[in-house]
Amino acid sequence: SSFGNNPNRSEIMHMGTTHVAVGFNDLSVLLAAKLAPHPEGEFVGGPLRFVGLEMSAYSVAKTKIIAQLLATGSVPPAVIVQCWLSSTWTRDAVAAFKRAAGQVLAEDRSLLRKGNEEVRSYVSTWVAAEPKSGNYGRSSWFSLQVEDTYR
């Protein structure tokens, strides 16, 4: 699922600048953004730099994996968007997500720093977890709703 619970407004972000976002970072701000040339010229200052400060371990873990998927250059955009936004995935999306999570776990030294234990735990769990079917998810959700109704 998406990390945020409301749509982002479309920010104008100029290439060659740095955009800093604090809290509730789910990269959808980039999806909604209008990327524009730098006001002083198209190639002044290089690429756009996005810096997100986030306290949610879940959001940090998932964003690291989405960034890894984007960085590979070989994962189809439809698979990346599916991992980013959907609650049910194709087998290809599951395989790509688990592969990227394994790469993040093996290569991202920031996960070893004190204070990042919860982020590392999410990524480790996602690497090890066996996928569940859509039917399993729906029936589990439905049984919880029934339990809550009759409490």
Side-chain angles (χ1 to χ4, degrees), residues 26-151:
D26 67 358
L27 297 181
S28 64
V29 70
L30 294 175
L31 187 63
K34 289 184 180 7
L35 302 179
H38 193 281
E40 296 174 17
E42 190 171 345
F43 297 105
V44 173
L48 171 74
R49 183 166 184 242
F50 180 85
V51 178
L53 304 175
E54 177 61 65
M55 290 298 296
S56 164
Y58 172 85
S59 292
V60 171
K62 190 167 179 184
T63 298
K64 284 180 174 289
I65 295 168
I66 296 300
Q68 181 65 39
L69 288 168
L70 290 166
T72 66
S74 62
V75 179
V79 168
I80 296 170
V81 171
Q82 192 177 139
C83 291
W84 186 349
L85 299 174
S86 183
S87 58
T88 56
W89 299 347
T90 62
R91 286 182 176 86
D92 288 345
V94 170
F97 187 87
K98 287 175 79 72
R99 192 169 41 254
Q103 290 170 323
V104 167
L105 199 56
E107 299 169 9
D108 190 334
R109 298 290 140 224
S110 73
L111 294 179
L112 300 175
R113 287 189 210 130
K114 185 174 174 29
N116 286 342
E117 298 86 359
E118 193 176 358
V119 175
R120 183 175 177 78
S121 177
Y122 274 113
V123 177
S124 298
T125 298
W126 294 335
V127 168
E130 289 300 318
K132 304 291 186 207
S133 70
N135 285 337
Y136 175 85
R138 281 186 290 279
S139 65
S140 296
W141 180 85
F142 183 71
S143 68
L144 288 173
Q145 300 310 305
V146 170
E147 283 178 27
D148 284 347
T149 300
Y150 294 106
R151 282 187 197 199

